[in-house]
Amino acid sequence: MPVVVSVDWLAAHREDPDVAVVDVRDAWEFDGIGHVPGAVNVPFDSFRATEHGEAEAGMLPGSRAFADLMSEVGIGNDDRIVAYDDRNGVFAARLLVTAELYGHDPDRLHLLDGDFSAYNLDHETTGEAPDVEPTDYRAAYEERGPLVPLATVEAAVADPGTVIVDTREAWEFDEGHIPGAVRLDWQELVDTETRGLLPEDELRDLLAERGIRPGERVLLYCNTARRISHTYTVLRHLGFPTLAFYEGSLTEWEAEGNTLETA
C-alpha cells in the first residue's frame, strides 16, 4: 500500500475497522469548518514539545505524552493511520513522523494526497465529532529509527555518500545553511492547483536535478523539523531506502556553535 493515499481511497476506506483518520488542524477548524466523517482531531500543537529539546530530541513531545494523546482519541498500535491538514500535508506529515519515531509501524502510516480542501471538493464532510473509545496506545522512542544526532550530521558534511538536504525556502537557504547542503523547498513537491503531490515522474526528475537519488543516504533538515517531515514522507512514498532525519535541525546546529555556509 502506498505511503500517500488519494482522497478517493480515503472516501472508500475511511470506515474500515483498522483505519484511523486523523485531522491535525486546530479544533475550531475541525468543529466549525467540518472534517472527514469519522476523523478524530489531533491539533498540531498537541504533539509538539513546548520548547526545543524538551523531550527525547528536538520538538518531540515525549513518549508518555504521545501515548496518552493517541489513547485519548482511540488510536491503536495496529491501526492504519491516515493523516491530513489544510496546509498541503506538512502538519499531517509531522504527526506521521512522530508516530514512527515512537514505534508505530511505518507501513501503516499514510498521508492524504492533498489536504482537507482537496477532499472537500468531491466528498462528503461533517461537523459531527465521532464517538471515540479510548485505547491503551503504547509508545517508546525508537532508537534505531531514522532520527540522527548532531554528531552524525557533522560527520555527514564530509561524507560523499550522503546528500544533506535543506527543505526551507530559497531566501532562508541563501542566508545560511549547513555546509554542502542542497536546497529543496518542501513546497516544490506540491502541485498548487491540486494541493497534492506532483506526478511521480516530475517528482523524480526534480529530485535527480538537485542530486537527490535513491542510491545515496539522504539527510534532511529545516529549522524546527516540521518541513522535513513532509519531504521525508514523500521520499518514503517514492521508495528511497536510506533516509536520515535531523530532528535538531538548524536550531540545534547553530546553538551548538557550528558554522553556516551562505549562497
Side-chain angles (χ1 to χ4, degrees):
M1 184 173 167
V3 174
V4 179
V5 299
S6 69
V7 294
D8 290 338
W9 184 94
L10 180 57
H13 294 276
R14 61 180 176 77
E15 295 186 51
D16 291 0
D18 65 337
V19 170
V21 185
V22 183
D23 183 317
V24 305
R25 297 174 300 156
D26 289 339
W28 72 264
E29 296 173 287
F30 180 83
D31 295 329
I33 298 175
H35 52 267
V36 174
V40 295
N41 187 213
V42 182
F44 177 71
D45 288 341
S46 68
F47 56 89
R48 293 274 277 180
T50 55
E51 61 183 52
H52 183 76
E54 178 182 296
E56 287 85 358
M59 297 300 292
L60 293 176
S63 56
R64 178 173 296 180
F66 190 71
D68 289 347
L69 181 61
M70 295 293 99
S71 298
E72 182 180 337
V73 296
I75 295 176
N77 288 90
D78 295 327
D79 282 344
R80 189 176 294 283
I81 297 175
V82 181
Y84 71 87
D85 55 29
D86 62 350
R87 298 292 182 89
N88 305 119
V90 66
F91 293 109
R94 178 63 192 184
L95 174 71
L96 301 178
V97 170
T98 303
E100 178 180 353
L101 292 173
Y102 284 128
H104 205 102
D105 182 355
D107 289 338
R108 303 186 72 78
L109 295 171
H110 307 278
L111 180 69
L112 180 65
D113 192 16
D115 52 21
F116 177 73
S117 295
Y119 187 93
N120 194 31
L121 283 175
D122 298 310
H123 299 288
E124 174 189 6
T125 59
T126 183
E128 296 182 11
D131 292 328
V132 172
E133 183 176 340
T135 60
D136 183 21
Y137 191 90
R138 300 173 304 282
Y141 179 61
E142 182 52 70
E143 296 283 354
R144 295 172 296 177
L147 190 150
V148 295
L150 174 64
T152 299
V153 184
E154 292 171 331
V157 170
D159 178 11
T162 298
V163 180
I164 301 176
V165 180
D166 185 315
T167 63
R168 300 173 303 151
E169 294 182 43
W171 68 268
E172 295 174 289
F173 181 86
D174 291 345
E175 285 191 352
H177 53 268
I178 293 176
V182 299
R183 185 184 67 80
L184 179 72
D185 184 343
W186 75 272
Q187 296 172 99
E188 294 181 81
L189 306 177
V190 175
D191 184 322
T192 55
E193 291 188 7
T194 67
R195 304 183 69 87
L197 299 181
L198 294 173
E200 183 173 330
D201 58 343
E202 293 184 32
L203 287 173
R204 293 191 184 278
D205 287 346
L206 173 60
L207 293 168
E209 177 186 302
R210 303 293 171 84
I212 306 167
R213 299 178 177 85
E216 298 171 300
R217 180 174 68 160
V218 179
L219 195 161
L220 304 161
Y221 78 91
C222 57
N223 278 342
T224 59
R226 173 176 58 85
R227 289 173 280 188
I228 52 175
S229 299
H230 185 273
T231 308
Y232 174 81
T233 301
V234 174
L235 294 181
R236 278 212 313 118
H237 177 67
L238 294 175
F240 276 62
T242 311
L243 299 173
F245 189 99
Y246 181 30
E247 176 71 20
S249 277
L250 210 62
T251 301
E252 180 183 61
W253 180 266
E254 289 189 276
E256 293 298 322
N258 286 288
T259 60
L260 296 178
E261 186 175 74
T262 56

